[in-house]
Amino acid sequence: MMKLNYFGQSCFLLEVNGTKILFDPFITPNELAKDIDVEQIDCDYILVSHGHEDHVADLVSIAKRTKAKIISSFEIIEWLKKQGIDNGHPMNLGGNWNFDFGKVKMMYAAHSNSLPDGSYGGTAAGFIIQTGKKTLYYAGDTALNQDMKLTGELFAIDYAFLPIGDNFTMGITDAIIAADFIKCKNIIAMHYDTFGYIKVDHEQAKKAFADAGIELSMLKISDKEVDAKVL
């Protein structure tokens, strides 16, 4: 069984058979996540799709406190070494690695990528996570792109995390097309509402996906067990 908590923007905590995997930790600067106590977040791994502030704001502090292994691009792992963090696993597009919770493949994301100090962060990425009997696709910040068709041909995806906020990433219309490309009917929304540029109408979003025969989950921002989604 897998459990999922949403911490806002693109940050999720996935628990797989006792292993906790944190995605793109941006919490303390996010007013929508003000009830999340960052100091109480425990994780064994941190997956980082790219280096923009709204994905890495809490990365260094959480990594130092938890000693979690960080999975990201080669460039971001090298940047983290300069922050005093050596527990990284560098990857690049198309690469696979078997971790104790399952297999991770780094996927292409159509997006820019730099780190908070302006240094180059490598190519923006997403991840395919194959664990137990489930396959998850965390798209990261991305535009709609043709590579998603290949992703849908190579993997039977049970759940996909897709950005829907528009302006910086795909919006609702393109995310529905992406869901068709990857052949996934269970979509978990991310990268919306945090800033004025990416606010969405929740009911309109849910209706648009439902009209396309796709289930859209817009999770409550919470670190409570009762609010966790079971995958």
Side-chain angles (χ1 to χ4, degrees):
M1 183 178 72
M2 293 187 286
K3 293 185 295 184
L4 184 72
N5 278 93
Y6 183 42
F7 295 160
Q9 187 67 343
S10 302
C11 183
F12 297 86
L13 183 67
L14 176 69
E15 184 172 348
V16 181
N17 298 324
T19 298
K20 295 181 178 180
I21 306 160
L22 184 67
F23 294 78
D24 283 356
F26 171 79
I27 303 161
T28 54
N30 184 0
E31 178 64 22
L32 300 180
K34 62 182 182 298
D35 293 329
I36 305 295
D37 186 352
V38 175
E39 293 301 314
Q40 296 302 312
I41 293 174
D42 186 28
C43 57
D44 303 291
Y45 292 88
I46 305 174
L47 270 65
V48 181
S49 65
H50 66 295
H52 289 165
E53 181 72 13
D54 61 326
H55 294 258
V56 302
D58 296 296
L59 173 59
V60 171
S61 61
I62 293 175
K64 286 183 175 180
R65 177 175 54 80
T66 64
K67 311 301 182 187
K69 182 175 288 294
I70 303 166
I71 303 168
S72 192
S73 68
F74 173 83
E75 289 82 0
I76 289 177
I77 297 303
E78 289 297 302
W79 178 81
L80 284 167
K81 289 179 181 178
K82 298 175 183 177
Q83 318 307 313
I85 298 170
D86 293 318
N87 193 24
H89 183 100
M91 296 189 72
N92 214 321
L93 299 181
N96 291 278
W97 192 264
N98 289 311
F99 297 93
D100 57 12
F101 62 85
K103 181 185 285 188
V104 173
K105 184 180 182 72
M106 183 170 272
M107 308 297 290
Y108 171 72
H111 195 67
S112 59
N113 187 15
S114 59
L115 288 150
D117 62 4
S119 59
Y120 174 59
T123 305
F127 301 97
I128 289 284
I129 300 110
Q130 295 174 290
T131 179
K133 296 180 180 179
K134 297 284 178 65
T135 296
L136 312 179
Y137 172 43
Y138 181 86
D141 280 15
T142 188
L144 178 67
N145 61 85
Q146 289 285 340
D147 279 24
M148 290 177 171
K149 287 187 176 181
L150 181 59
T151 300
E153 292 174 7
L154 293 176
F155 300 98
I157 298 168
D158 296 291
Y159 291 91
F161 301 74
L162 298 181
I164 66 165
D166 218 335
N167 194 71
F168 298 112
T169 66
M170 294 187 294
I172 293 165
T173 300
D174 282 358
I176 290 170
I177 297 170
D180 179 62
F181 280 5
I182 62 175
K183 303 176 185 178
C184 181
K185 297 294 186 181
N186 296 303
I187 304 302
I188 298 167
M190 64 180 184
H191 209 279
Y192 64 97
D193 280 358
T194 315
F195 318 109
Y197 289 121
I198 62 173
K199 288 188 182 298
V200 301
D201 182 315
H202 289 212
E203 294 308 313
Q204 181 184 16
K206 289 177 182 177
K207 183 179 186 304
F209 275 82
D211 288 348
I214 303 165
E215 180 180 347
L216 178 69
S217 296
M218 303 178 79
L219 304 184
K220 178 181 179 182
I221 297 175
S222 173
D223 56 2
K224 303 295 187 292
E225 179 79 15
V226 68
D227 294 317
K229 181 179 178 65
V230 177
L231 302 182

